[in-house]
């Protein structure tokens, strides 16, 4: 009977999870701006601590932070929006040139008795689609940012309620003294991870844009923003971000510049991902490569473009939350990269 009860409990939990995910999917129009607002609020929270050290009132500090966010967002949005519009107009021409380069490469392979069917290969592997991935994600994010007023307003209320939220959680628990340290660790870990990841991603985007500007690659601001956003996706994010810039350099300036761009992206991501980020974060993500890839697919399906860009932070939040409870620690171990087992 006890075994049957355990099975029934698991089925109830699974059914509740399915219903919850279906509800989130159906309400994604509301959920996505809320998730983005929560993400921005967590990033902005350290700035409030900085202003608090100088005895600046909380209301004024939040106003200053929001003015900074809006100023940066509007300025960057204007530049990226114009670049994206111009790039979309030139995209058919770029795709045609890229296909010509692709056919030339197939012809060169044919000279060395490497016979490849051009039509079949192009139908299976369209190089123009690689550029579409990044631009479509930017367009999708732009659609979400149409609710900018709602997002900013939600961020303001979250920043006001932030300190009180932790106390409410403590009071809502049956045994707040026992759970207090776990909740504080959970909130601090999320704040630390997102703040450090954002700074590292910002550095990655700025360096990528500067190198592309020096090499005179078109739309360097656009590709810098792509590098910034895709840096939230470890392993494959930097590869996806580099592909459009490398291909554009290839068709506009030739293989040499394209090779330099590719080597520059590789160097930036190696230094930022393997040296700078671990030094400040103290440890790795703690997620297996398979989990990172599956989380990209899952959160992308659930929340669209925002879910793909925030897939790893969202999975990290789930993992940290599971680690703080005895019941969910086994699942957190499955999501991990096995470092605990090796130790």
């Amino acid at each position: 009977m006890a075994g049957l009860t355990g099975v029934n409990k698991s089925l109830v939990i699974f059914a509740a999870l399915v219903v919850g995910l279906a509800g989130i999917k159906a309400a994604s129009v509301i959920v996505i701006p809320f998730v983005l607002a929560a993400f921005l609020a967590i990033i902005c929270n350290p700035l409030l601590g900085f202003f608090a050290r100088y005895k600046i009132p909380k209301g004024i500090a939040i106003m200053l932070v929001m003015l900074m966010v809006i100023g940066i967002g509007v300025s960057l949005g204007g530049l990226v929006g114009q670049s994206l519009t111009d790039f979309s107009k030139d995209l058919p021409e770029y795709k045609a040139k890229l296909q010509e380069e692709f056919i030339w490469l197939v012809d060169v392979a044919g000279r060395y008795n490497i016979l490849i069917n051009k039509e079949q290969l192009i139908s299976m592997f369209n190089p123009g689609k690689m550029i579409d991935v990044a631009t479509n994600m930017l367009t999708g994010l732009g659609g979400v940012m149409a609710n900018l007023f709602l997002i900013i307003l939600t961020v303001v209320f979250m920043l006001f309620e932030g300190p009180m939220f932790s106390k409410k959680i403590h009071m809502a628990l049956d045994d707040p003294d026992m759970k207090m340290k776990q909740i504080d660790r959970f909130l601090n870990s999320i704040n630390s991870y997102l703040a450090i990841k954002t700074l590292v991603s910002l550095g990655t985007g700025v360096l990528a844009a500067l190198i592309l500007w020096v090499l005179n690659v078109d739309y360097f601001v656009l590709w810098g923003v792509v590098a910034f956003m895709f840096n939230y996706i470890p392993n494959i994010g930097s590869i996806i971000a580099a592909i459009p810039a490398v291909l554009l350099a290839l068709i506009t300036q030739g293989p040499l510049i394209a090779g330099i761009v590719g080597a520059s992206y590789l160097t930036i991501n190696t230094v930022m991902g393997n040296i700078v980020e671990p030094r400040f974060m103290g440890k790795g993500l703690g997620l297996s490569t398979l989990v990172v890839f599956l989380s990209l697919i899952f959160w992308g399906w659930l929340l669209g473009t925002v879910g793909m860009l925030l897939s790893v932070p969202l999975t990290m939040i789930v993992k940290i939350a599971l680690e703080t409870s005895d019941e969910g620690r086994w699942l957190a171990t499955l999501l991990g990269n096995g470092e605990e087992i090796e130790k």
Side-chain angles (χ1 to χ4, degrees):
M1 182 66 68
L4 184 61
T5 303
V7 171
N8 290 337
K9 182 179 179 181
S10 299
L11 289 174
V12 169
I13 293 174
F14 179 74
L17 182 63
V18 171
V19 172
L21 292 176
I24 292 174
K25 179 71 173 176
S28 59
V29 176
I30 300 174
V31 174
I32 291 173
F34 176 80
V35 170
L36 197 58
F39 175 72
L40 289 174
I42 292 173
I43 293 175
C44 293
N45 194 54
L47 288 175
L48 293 183
F50 172 78
F51 286 127
R53 287 198 294 268
Y54 291 92
K55 309 298 183 183
I56 297 177
K58 187 173 183 180
I60 297 176
I62 291 177
M63 186 182 300
L64 291 174
V65 171
M66 286 299 96
L67 287 175
M68 289 172 57
V69 171
I70 293 173
I72 294 172
V74 170
S75 302
L76 196 58
L79 287 172
V80 173
Q82 186 60 48
S83 298
L84 191 59
T85 301
D86 295 339
F87 179 72
S88 298
K89 293 178 182 177
D90 297 333
L91 191 56
E93 181 183 351
Y94 289 143
K95 284 184 177 181
K97 289 181 179 179
L98 188 58
Q99 191 162 331
E100 290 176 5
E101 294 285 344
F102 194 63
I103 293 173
W104 173 82
L105 188 62
V106 173
D107 291 337
V108 171
R111 296 174 191 171
Y112 294 92
N113 295 323
I114 303 175
L115 302 179
I116 303 173
N117 189 305
K118 298 178 186 178
E119 290 74 15
Q120 185 178 2
L121 189 61
I122 290 175
S123 63
M124 294 173 59
F125 179 74
N126 187 351
K129 293 295 183 182
M130 299 181 187
I131 299 179
D132 287 339
V133 172
T135 54
N136 287 342
M137 291 189 72
L138 280 175
T139 303
L141 186 63
V144 175
M145 294 305 291
N147 296 316
L148 183 61
F149 178 74
L150 174 63
I151 293 172
I152 294 297
L153 198 61
T154 306
V155 171
V156 171
F157 284 118
M158 284 182 174
L159 290 176
F160 271 112
E161 289 285 332
M164 189 61 64
F165 181 70
S166 177
K167 295 178 182 178
K168 288 180 180 179
I169 294 178
H170 293 323
M171 296 302 297
L173 294 171
D174 295 332
D175 191 355
D177 293 331
M178 183 181 70
K179 294 290 186 180
M180 187 172 292
K181 291 183 179 179
Q182 295 178 344
I183 293 172
D184 289 339
R185 175 180 171 273
F186 170 65
L187 296 175
N188 291 335
S189 297
I190 294 172
N191 275 320
S192 175
Y193 171 76
L194 288 180
I196 294 171
K197 192 65 179 177
T198 299
L199 289 175
V200 172
S201 299
L202 183 62
T204 301
V206 170
L207 288 173
L210 284 174
I211 290 173
L212 294 175
W213 173 68
V214 170
L215 295 173
N216 199 28
V217 178
D218 295 339
Y219 308 111
F220 60 90
V221 174
L222 180 63
W223 307 130
V225 173
V226 169
F228 162 72
M229 293 194 304
F230 278 62
N231 195 63
Y232 285 101
I233 307 172
N235 304 322
I236 60 173
S238 57
I239 298 174
I240 298 174
I243 287 174
V246 172
L247 291 178
L248 188 61
L250 175 65
I251 60 181
T252 57
Q253 300 195 53
L256 178 61
I257 299 299
I260 295 174
V261 170
S264 300
Y265 268 85
L266 180 62
T267 303
I268 291 171
N269 286 286
T270 299
V271 172
M272 300 298 284
N274 298 327
I275 299 176
V276 177
E277 187 173 311
R279 179 179 179 182
F280 289 98
M281 202 167 287
K283 61 178 181 177
L285 290 170
L287 296 175
S288 72
T289 306
L290 176 61
V291 169
V292 170
F293 180 71
L294 293 178
S295 68
L296 177 66
I297 298 173
F298 172 75
W299 292 110
W301 165 79
L302 191 65
L303 299 175
T305 301
V306 173
M308 292 181 71
L309 294 177
L310 302 183
S311 60
V312 172
L314 289 170
T315 307
M316 282 293 297
I317 290 173
V318 172
K319 183 175 182 290
I320 294 170
L322 291 171
E323 287 176 341
T324 59
S325 66
D326 295 331
E327 299 83 2
R329 192 168 291 120
W330 66 272
L331 186 53
T333 302
L334 293 179
L335 295 176
N337 55 12
E339 289 181 355
E340 298 86 353
I341 298 174
E342 293 177 359
K343 292 179 181 179

